[in-house]
Amino acid sequence: MEWRPLEGGGRVALNQFLPRELALATGLSTDLQRVWRRRGHLPEREEGFAHFNSVDVAAISVRYELSRMGVAPGDTARIGEEIARLVLYFALLSDDCVASVRGGLRRLTSMGAGYEEDDELAQRVSGVQDRRRYLWSAQPPQMALADDITPLLSQEQYSAMLHLDLVVIGKRLAENSPKPLFLIDLKV
């Protein structure tokens, strides 16, 4: 597990997930994970067993949603990798059980006082700057991010459009994850 410094004190790491935990968090069954692995859509197992970190889990969550909408899993790898941390950001904002925090109350209070809003802390923990909510496309697998898709719909330019609400995916990931996505250590 790799730790990185967290501004304001402490450090943060991505939690690790086994295939059955990935299935609970994302809906991608262990059987389908095997199929995706055989076809090269998931990394090969290392040391006899598969494991995924929280960024992998978020990326696979997006990829699975796209595949359910008809986008080939092979076309979703880059997209999942690019927006995984954004999904984790929305997961952090949606649920209190997404991060396991270790440290004294004073350290937690002083760290929290260093941030004006929850949004700022979620940005630091997840490592995102861009906070656009929607992933959309009129021609998959080419995808783009948008703050609001209403203007895109009102332009009457596209006869069909695929879109994912990243807030909903983040919230679902937070609710379904069998363990915290992030580990925060304030005792450093």
Side-chain angles (χ1 to χ4, degrees):
M1 183 171 317
E2 293 182 35
W3 293 88
R4 67 176 169 83
L6 185 60
E7 188 177 318
R11 60 187 185 160
V12 64
L14 302 170
N15 213 347
Q16 300 293 310
F17 292 78
L18 297 171
R20 64 178 169 74
E21 294 167 328
L22 175 71
L24 291 170
T26 66
L28 184 68
S29 70
T30 54
D31 289 339
L32 195 48
Q33 288 175 45
R34 281 189 283 277
V35 171
W36 279 26
R37 190 172 291 107
R38 275 195 308 268
R39 294 181 180 171
H41 305 311
L42 288 179
E44 290 297 319
R45 295 176 176 217
E46 293 179 22
E47 301 171 12
F49 66 95
H51 60 280
F52 307 89
N53 67 35
S54 299
V55 171
D56 298 331
V57 172
I60 291 167
S61 184
V62 169
R63 294 180 65 199
Y64 182 55
E65 285 297 319
L66 287 169
S67 74
R68 290 176 17 156
M69 295 180 168
V71 181
D75 293 335
T76 64
R78 181 191 55 78
I79 297 163
E81 288 173 16
E82 288 177 4
I83 64 167
R85 287 197 178 270
L86 187 53
V87 170
L88 291 173
Y89 162 80
F90 288 122
L92 279 162
L93 291 178
S94 71
D95 193 277
D96 291 336
C97 298
V98 176
S100 173
V101 180
R102 189 180 89 173
L105 184 58
R106 274 182 267 176
R107 283 189 185 262
L108 183 59
T109 303
S110 67
M111 182 185 148
Y115 297 101
E116 304 240 343
E117 298 179 20
D118 290 346
D119 176 67
E120 187 180 349
L121 182 56
Q123 278 183 272
R124 300 275 191 247
V125 171
S126 64
V128 300
Q129 298 301 314
D130 187 347
R131 300 179 313 254
R132 290 180 282 179
R133 176 177 182 159
Y134 296 98
L135 182 67
W136 73 278
S137 177
Q139 297 178 356
Q142 300 162 358
M143 307 291 285
L145 288 168
D147 288 319
D148 183 8
I149 59 168
T150 307
L152 296 167
L153 296 171
S154 64
Q155 290 175 6
E156 296 182 8
Q157 183 177 357
Y158 307 109
S159 60
M161 186 170 69
L162 176 139
H163 81 274
L164 295 179
D165 187 332
L166 302 178
V167 170
V168 173
I169 293 174
K171 183 176 182 176
R172 190 178 314 140
L173 185 60
E175 291 171 352
N176 295 335
S177 181
K179 59 186 175 185
L181 299 166
F182 292 96
L183 304 173
I184 300 174
D185 183 5
L186 301 177
K187 290 187 172 188
V188 188

